[in-house]
Amino acid sequence: MAKLNWFYFAAPNTFYPLAGKMIPWFTAAALGLAAIGLYIGFFVAPTDFQQGEGYRIIFVHVPTAWMSMFLYVVMAFWAAIGLAFNTRLSSMMAQAIAPTGALMTFLALWTGSLWGKPMWGAWWVWDARLTSELILLFLYIGFMALQASIDDPRRADRAGAVLAIVGVINVPIIYFSVQWWNTLHQGASVSITRSPSMATTMLWGMLVMALAFWMYSIAVVLVRVRAIILERERNTDWVRDLKARGAAK
Amino acid sequence: MGSVDAFKALVRRDLLLAMRRRADVLTTLIFFVIVVSLFPLGVGPELETLREIAPGVVWVAALLASMLALGRLFSSDYADGTLEQMVLAPQPLGLLVGAKIVAHWLVSGLPLVLIAPVLGIQYDMSWEALGILMLSLAIGTPVLGLIGAVGAALTLGLRGGGVLVSLLVLPLYIPVLIFGAGAVDAAATGTGAGAHLSLLGAFLAVSLFFAPWAAALGLRISLE
């Protein structure tokens, strides 16, 4: 029996076509889930008795905030794998995730500020979670700036990996900041152990939207990683073949 | 040469080198004093306001001063090839990096701790708050040096290294700033600085364990 080779797709030349095949599926999933999530968010979920209609921004705010933290961990994971095993593709993945993560962080901050204005009466408050989210944005920017300023891609990957691993310490700080600093930001509304303190339809809308953002992130990261693969492997035979075949078509 | 001897020798060498070029050491200190003195000029001389912002101002100035001092940590050793010899040395590189950080803190961190009460008096801080300010800086500035060493190692020899290192290192400094300034604030308002100082101590323990290793890794990456 042939042993399943887990590392078959770890090579950029085998991953490139696979990623190309996966992109349409994830794009479709992202669009479909976003349509369902937005429908639930706008038409099914009831108006909040305290916060009125303004609360509906959470259907974008909460998923982007989740993704911003999650993507940082994923980025650090791939960067660490790339550092430990010297796999080229892992480091390219880390590099491809960073801009999407930064975008999610920025969106979370922006929508949070839009939400904060009617709720707290201020666009920005120096609350622990907002501040940690801002720090997260700085961490993403630092990671990208470090990689951009190193010309040798191998050194850029490894230096970025060390920085990402050091920065990942920040993600738990974000998560536990609510318990550490008792501030005016409301505590986490979704918890596994407690029954959720929000209406079920709101929760569903949020979860569906989170899945939509997840699918979007995967699709965009795959597109970006394909571009990075082509750029870095431009001198290899398989990319030349690809180009020749593309030209022949 | 044993590891402990190498550690001591490297600390002594770096201190000796720093003493031969005292102006470099003084620059950091003067920068710290100037930044802290600028704030009353910008904010206004009311003692009530100054007393309130003093912990934050002193701590932010300490952050910036330690960040600016990072350029000196590895650059001259990198320029004359000493750093490569350290990487090739039989002693663990993490230990040697640790020695460099210790010497660096004695030269650039300790003076900040010692001058801070004088600046605090300018801001009309109470004696108790001044004590906590010194204590929090004494625990916090080594953390700044340790975290900064990682950034300095990663940006070694890069174009625009100075600005880049601030981008990498300042976000990681924020927890230290929060709890450092928080400790002084808590002391000034009488709620007790114990919890903040304990957390600072925890940061010191964690960074003491990981940072020299991460900085050594960064040096290997930069030098290969």
Side-chain angles (χ1 to χ4, degrees), chain A residues 113-159:
Chain A
S113 142
L114 287 180
W115 191 15
K117 183 65 183 167
M119 298 309 139
W120 302 328
W123 294 109
W124 181 264
V125 287
W126 286 97
D127 146 273
R129 272 213 246 179
L130 268 77
T131 314
S132 328
E133 195 71 16
L134 190 65
I135 301 171
L136 190 64
L137 182 64
F138 294 154
L139 287 177
Y140 274 119
I141 293 173
F143 179 85
M144 290 190 286
L146 180 63
Q147 289 215 320
S149 66
I150 306 176
D151 293 326
D152 173 22
R154 206 174 117 79
R155 186 183 161 189
D157 285 343
R158 304 182 53 181

Side-chain angles (χ1 to χ4, degrees), chain B residues 200-222:
Chain B
L200 273 184
F203 289 147
L204 179 59
V206 171
S207 54
L208 208 54
F209 188 78
F210 285 111
W213 172 80
L217 192 61
L219 284 181
R220 281 187 208 282
I221 292 168
S222 297

Side-chain angles (χ1 to χ4, degrees), chain B residues 151-203:
Chain B
L154 288 175
T155 54
L156 205 55
L158 295 184
R159 57 195 138 78
V163 185
L164 189 62
V165 83
S166 66
L167 203 61
L168 304 188
V169 158
L170 284 180
L172 300 172
Y173 277 179
I174 290 173
V176 182
L177 168 69
I178 289 174
F179 291 110
V184 186
D185 233 18
T189 53
T191 47
H196 292 89
L197 291 176
S198 305
L199 276 167
L200 273 184
F203 289 147

Side-chain angles (χ1 to χ4, degrees), chain B residues 30-160:
Chain B
I30 302 293
F31 173 82
F32 180 60
V33 175
I34 289 179
V35 170
V36 175
S37 315
L38 281 180
F39 273 86
L41 301 175
V43 176
E46 294 82 14
L47 284 180
E48 201 58 42
T49 324
L50 290 183
R51 209 178 299 128
E52 216 164 274
I53 61 169
V57 167
V58 175
W59 258 100
V60 169
L63 237 64
L64 295 176
S66 342
M67 188 206 75
L68 281 182
L70 287 177
R72 281 204 314 274
L73 185 51
F74 296 121
S75 57
S76 62
D77 283 351
Y78 176 66
D80 65 12
T82 318
L83 208 54
E84 279 173 39
Q85 299 301 318
M86 285 180 200
V87 173
L88 294 174
Q91 288 84 15
L93 182 58
L95 190 81
L96 299 180
V97 170
K100 284 196 74 67
I101 297 171
V102 168
H104 180 75
W105 179 74
L106 288 173
V107 168
S108 66
L110 193 58
L112 304 188
V113 178
L114 297 177
I115 200 87
V118 181
L119 301 174
I121 290 171
Q122 287 188 314
Y123 279 73
D124 196 33
M125 287 168 75
S126 68
W127 291 111
E128 202 203 337
L130 284 178
I132 297 293
L133 177 67
M134 273 185 89
L135 193 57
S136 69
L137 280 171
I139 306 173
T141 44
V143 185
L144 302 182
L146 284 160
I147 299 172
V150 182
L154 288 175
T155 54
L156 205 55
L158 295 184
R159 57 195 138 78

